[in-house]
Amino acid sequence: MSRPAAEQTVLQDALGTVAVTTMFALAMVELHVELVAGAAAWLAAWWLLREERA
């Protein structure tokens, strides 16, 4: 049983919106993970390379 053309278009628009929203959310999560990992690496390098103060 096929769906009416208008319903098909609404479904495709909804799926397109979900896809774009999901891609945006994943991109934001990846950027956040990279920023946190970079900050952790910088902090670890600073901690290991800091000079001892007498």
Side-chain angles (χ1 to χ4, degrees), residues 3 8 49 52:
R3 297 180 180 177
Q8 189 86 15
L49 299 174
E52 294 292 330

Side-chain angles (χ1 to χ4, degrees), residues 11-48:
L11 181 60
Q12 288 174 344
D13 287 348
L15 289 176
T17 302
V18 169
V20 169
T21 303
T22 301
M23 286 189 335
F24 181 76
L26 290 174
M28 295 305 291
V29 167
E30 184 174 346
L31 283 172
H32 180 261
V33 168
E34 288 182 17
L35 285 173
V36 170
W42 187 89
L43 185 61
W46 171 80
W47 182 262
L48 292 172

